[in-house]
């Protein structure tokens, strides 16, 4: 379908052919499988939580899951409409230009509005609703073994950072000291609000225990976590839906880009019972702060 070139605006991968990108995606999947094995080994002696017990009985879990998925779809739809009315890119789980870069203009106002919208819709509102009915432990917001969680976070973070640096050659090392001093906390804050906390609350704190209750299968829960994480990126600015071919390629590369990371985030949650683990081990710092700080420096014109 792709022919000699993909129809996506990917400045950081402009020189890569479709075959190259497919190889890249499979190597990324291999890394996730290795990280999964490592996470399993590091948690092998822990008393693993039964996340299914943190969800209500099956009929209530099914109702909550369906309503939450419909709510998430509505959030994506409203984010598309509001952003387009403002002349911006549709609001998905990633700001335009994240990871792959973009040649299009992204303003500070768009960045702040994106972060605020996602934080409210996917984190604040669901958390307020479910926190009235379930404890922090039932929502996987409390660690049962802080030391073990810290070790797991540290090991995964170091490995993922090394892989990101080796594979992506991030431009963060080209920034000046002044740009880093301002850009690092700015990027961490915006992406925590706009991407990390929304995914954490919506998927890993609330949906994952319900997936496990409904399916009774850890493997199926991991797959569903990966698919849900992928779906929240449907409005990534590089996707193209102006023809059946381009739409198919967009869906394929959304899955190739986000399905495996979404599964690994689910694995970390299932193995630890702590939705915060993936935040620090495999999301907020690496890749986002590491990869997207140059983008934020450019958007906010930091000198």
């Amino acid at each position: 379908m792709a022919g000699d070139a993909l129809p996506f605006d990917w400045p950081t991968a402009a020189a890569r052919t479709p075959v190259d990108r497919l190889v890249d995606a499979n190597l990324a999947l291999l890394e996730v499988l290795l990280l999964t094995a490592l996470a399993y080994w590091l948690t092998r002696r822990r008393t693993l939580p039964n996340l299914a017990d943190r969800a209500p009985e099956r009929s209530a879990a099914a109702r909550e899951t369906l309503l939450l998925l419909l709510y998430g779809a509505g959030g994506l739809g409203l984010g598309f409409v509001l952003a387009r009315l403002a002349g911006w890119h549709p609001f998905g789980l990633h700001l335009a230009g994240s990871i792959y870069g973009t040649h299009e203009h992204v303003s500070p106002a768009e960045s702040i509005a994106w972060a605020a919208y996602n934080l409210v819709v996917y984190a604040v509102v669901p958390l307020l609703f479910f926190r009235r009915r379930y404890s922090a432990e039932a929502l996987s917001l409390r660690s049962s073994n802080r030391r073990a969680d810290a070790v797991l976070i540290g090991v995964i973070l170091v490995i993922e950072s090394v892989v990101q640096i080796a594979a992506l050659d991030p431009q963060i090392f080209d920034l000046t000291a002044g740009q880093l001093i301002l850009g690092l906390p700015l990027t961490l804050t915006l992406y925590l609000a706009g991407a990390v906390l929304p995914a954490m609350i919506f998927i890993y704190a609330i949906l994952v225990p319900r997936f496990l209750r409904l399916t009774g299968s850890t493997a199926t829960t991991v797959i569903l976590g990966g698919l849900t994480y992928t779906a929240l990126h449907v409005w990534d600015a590089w996707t193209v839906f102006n023809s059946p071919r381009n739409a198919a390629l967009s869906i394929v590369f959304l899955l190739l880009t986000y399905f495996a990371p979404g599964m690994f985030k689910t694995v970390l949650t299932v193995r630890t019972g702590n939705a915060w683990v993936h935040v620090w081990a495999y999301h907020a710092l690496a890749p986002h702060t590491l990869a997207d700080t140059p983008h934020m420096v450019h958007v906010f014109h930091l000198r």
Side-chain angles (χ1 to χ4, degrees), residues 78-135:
L78 181 62
F80 181 96
V81 172
L82 293 179
R84 284 304 194 196
L85 287 175
W88 298 330
H89 301 86
F91 292 153
L93 204 58
H94 273 171
L95 179 67
S98 297
I99 299 181
Y100 292 119
T102 181
H103 291 108
E104 299 180 10
H105 175 69
V106 181
S107 68
E110 177 180 348
S111 304
I112 295 170
W114 161 80
Y117 178 84
N118 282 357
L119 181 65
V120 171
V121 172
Y122 300 109
V124 174
V125 172
L127 182 60
L128 289 176
F129 181 84
F130 281 90
R131 190 64 181 87
R132 294 174 60 186
R133 294 161 174 79
Y134 301 97
S135 67

Side-chain angles (χ1 to χ4, degrees), residues 34-53:
L34 293 174
L35 287 176
T36 298
L38 177 60
Y40 182 88
W41 184 81
L42 289 171
T43 58
R44 70 194 185 282
R45 295 177 181 172
R46 295 182 58 164
T47 300
L48 300 183
N50 187 345
L51 290 192
D53 289 344

Side-chain angles (χ1 to χ4, degrees), residues 89-266:
H89 301 86
F91 292 153
L93 204 58
H94 273 171
L95 179 67
S98 297
I99 299 181
Y100 292 119
T102 181
H103 291 108
E104 299 180 10
H105 175 69
V106 181
S107 68
E110 177 180 348
S111 304
I112 295 170
W114 161 80
Y117 178 84
N118 282 357
L119 181 65
V120 171
V121 172
Y122 300 109
V124 174
V125 172
L127 182 60
L128 289 176
F129 181 84
F130 281 90
R131 190 64 181 87
R132 294 174 60 186
R133 294 161 174 79
Y134 301 97
S135 67
E137 182 180 1
L139 295 175
S140 302
L141 298 176
R142 182 176 297 160
S143 174
S144 61
N145 191 330
R146 292 184 179 181
R147 181 177 179 180
D149 285 350
V151 171
L152 180 61
I153 289 170
V155 172
I156 299 299
L157 177 60
V158 168
I159 294 174
E160 178 62 14
S161 298
V162 170
V163 170
Q164 291 289 329
I165 292 170
L168 298 180
D169 188 23
Q171 298 175 355
I172 192 172
F173 300 109
D174 298 328
L175 301 178
T176 66
Q179 290 173 325
L180 288 172
I181 290 172
L182 296 175
L184 287 172
L186 173 64
T187 304
L188 178 61
T189 301
L190 278 179
Y191 278 86
L192 268 175
V196 179
L197 293 179
M200 171 197 163
I201 297 299
F202 188 79
I203 302 174
Y204 304 103
I206 302 175
L207 278 174
V208 164
R210 284 151 183 80
F211 287 155
L212 192 55
R213 167 70 79 183
L214 294 174
T215 65
S217 166
T218 300
T220 304
T221 297
V222 169
I223 291 170
L224 291 174
L227 290 175
T228 308
Y229 185 71
T230 302
L232 288 180
H233 291 84
V234 69
W235 298 142
D236 268 21
W238 55 264
T239 56
V240 184
F241 295 101
N242 57 7
S243 71
R245 167 187 172 273
N246 289 344
L249 286 170
S250 295
I251 293 171
V252 165
F253 277 89
L254 281 168
L255 286 166
L256 289 174
T257 302
Y258 297 118
F259 181 49
M263 287 196 296
F264 184 57
K265 291 174 173 65
T266 310

